[in-house]
């Protein structure tokens, strides 16, 4: 079993829909949680960065972390065709020397059609 | 563009050949990471540097792989005697660390390696 599980999709939604993406994890030491967006043939781009449990909102994006359930989510409101990409969750056990030593999910491929 | 730069973008090589990739991090970032991403999977950590010191290596980094970061600036990743299983996207990322803190990673667009 991988430490971070993520449904690869694909997920296809109409423009304007609310998108829900999620990951589960098994390592209770994870403290920092990130969502990256990756367009085809490009590197991952950081979208959201949260610490421990709770919610964080940035424009149309909301990240939620539930450490008791070992479950994280990313919500995209008013989705746009430009949101079509692969979304990767990533997590790290601490903010010390290994924050950059990330554990990634396999990514969920999202298509938003006009 | 002052982001992480990787060269080449794509490399095709024959099995058994050696290849070298280069990464130029964001200039003020003192940490540099190498990840590998295979098709349909998330990136997997390979190794990282703080300045010129290589501080951690994954068990994925076999003895055919070697990474360097001379003078704490750009980094190179060399794969010797390439195998078809080495075909992947090799991603470089950088971050800034002060004391116990560490900023989130910023990734380059990767080098796609195809071993034939």
């Amino acid at each position: 079993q991988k430490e971070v599980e993520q449904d690869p999709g694909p997920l296809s939604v109409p423009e304007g829909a609310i998108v829900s993406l999620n990951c589960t994890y098994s390592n209770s030491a994870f403290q920092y949680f990130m969502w990256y967006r990756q367009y085809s043939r490009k590197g991952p781009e950081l979208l959201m960065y949260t610490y421990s449990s709770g919610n964080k909102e940035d424009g149309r994006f909301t990240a939620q972390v539930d450490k008791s359930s070992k479950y994280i989510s990313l919500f995209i409101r008013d989705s746009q065709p430009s949101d079509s990409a692969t979304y990767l969750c990533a997590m790290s056990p601490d903010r010390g020397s290994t924050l950059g030593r990330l554990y990634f999910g396999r990514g969920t491929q999202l298509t938003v059609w006009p | 563009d002052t982001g992480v730069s990787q060269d080449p973008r794509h490399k095709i090589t024959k099995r058994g050949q050696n290849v070298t990739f280069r990464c130029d991090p964001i200039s003020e970032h003192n940490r540099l990471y190498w990840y590998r991403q295979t098709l349909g999977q998330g990136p997997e950590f390979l190794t990282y540097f703080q300045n010129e010191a290589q501080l951690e290596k994954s068990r994925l980094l076999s003895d055919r792989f070697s990474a360097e970061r001379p003078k704490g600036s750009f980094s190179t990743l060399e794969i010797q005697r390439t195998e078809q299983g080495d075909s992947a996207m090799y991603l470089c990322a950088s971050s800034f660390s002060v004391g116990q803190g560490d900023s989130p990673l910023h990734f380059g667009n990767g080098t796609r390696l195809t071993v034939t």
Side-chain angles (χ1 to χ4, degrees):
Chain A
Q1 181 187 5
K2 295 189 71 174
E3 290 193 81
V4 182
E5 297 284 353
Q6 183 177 11
D7 186 337
L11 185 60
S12 181
V13 301
E15 182 175 357
I18 297 174
V19 176
S20 173
L21 306 166
N22 54 74
C23 291
T24 59
Y25 62 94
S26 56
N27 188 345
S28 58
F30 289 143
Q31 297 284 345
Y32 290 86
F33 304 91
M34 283 139 276
W35 286 95
Y36 283 84
R37 177 174 63 194
Q38 187 172 28
Y39 292 113
S40 180
R41 302 184 186 280
K42 299 287 188 180
E45 170 194 9
L46 181 67
L47 278 177
M48 301 284 285
Y49 168 46
T50 56
Y51 169 71
S52 195
S53 287
N55 294 358
K56 185 174 183 178
E57 187 173 322
D58 184 2
R60 296 185 295 111
F61 298 90
T62 299
Q64 288 185 350
V65 175
D66 182 348
K67 290 189 68 182
S68 62
S69 302
K70 297 189 178 65
Y71 187 90
I72 70 170
S73 301
L74 177 71
F75 298 95
I76 307 174
R77 291 183 300 281
D78 187 24
S79 56
Q80 302 295 310
S82 59
D83 294 329
S84 299
T86 296
Y87 289 79
L88 297 154
C89 64
M91 40 202 84
S92 175
D94 61 58
R95 200 171 184 239
S97 62
T98 56
L99 178 61
R101 204 262 192 247
L102 298 177
Y103 296 79
F104 280 88
R106 62 184 298 184
T108 298
Q109 185 180 343
L110 172 67
T111 300
V112 181
W113 43 275
Chain B
D1 187 352
T2 57
V4 178
S5 177
Q6 292 189 246
D7 183 70
R9 290 298 312 278
H10 193 186
K11 177 71 176 178
I12 301 173
T13 191
K14 292 185 178 180
R15 189 177 55 188
Q17 297 294 304
N18 299 345
V19 294
T20 300
F21 312 139
R22 177 181 170 124
C23 171
D24 287 90
I26 294 171
S27 58
E28 62 268 26
H29 284 183
N30 57 352
R31 286 191 174 165
L32 186 149
Y33 298 79
W34 286 99
Y35 279 78
R36 182 175 70 186
Q37 186 177 24
T38 54
L39 196 63
Q41 301 296 320
E44 294 176 293
F45 170 81
L46 292 178
T47 187
Y48 93 96
F49 294 82
Q50 174 149 331
N51 300 313
E52 66 275 8
Q54 189 173 15
L55 297 186
E56 187 177 348
K57 292 193 286 187
S58 163
R59 65 180 184 276
L60 294 176
L61 211 68
S62 76
D63 57 6
R64 296 185 297 106
F65 289 69
S66 63
E68 293 183 344
R69 192 183 183 199
K71 304 178 183 178
S73 55
F74 71 92
S75 176
T76 58
L77 178 67
E78 180 183 16
I79 309 175
Q80 296 181 327
R81 305 181 303 281
T82 53
E83 302 173 354
Q84 287 188 321
D86 297 331
S87 296
M89 173 85 89
Y90 289 84
L91 293 161
C92 178
S94 68
S95 68
F96 180 70
S97 173
V98 177
Q100 294 296 312
D102 197 350
S103 66
L105 293 190
H106 294 266
F107 282 87
N109 284 325
T111 293
R112 182 173 298 278
L113 174 65
T114 302
V115 182
T116 62

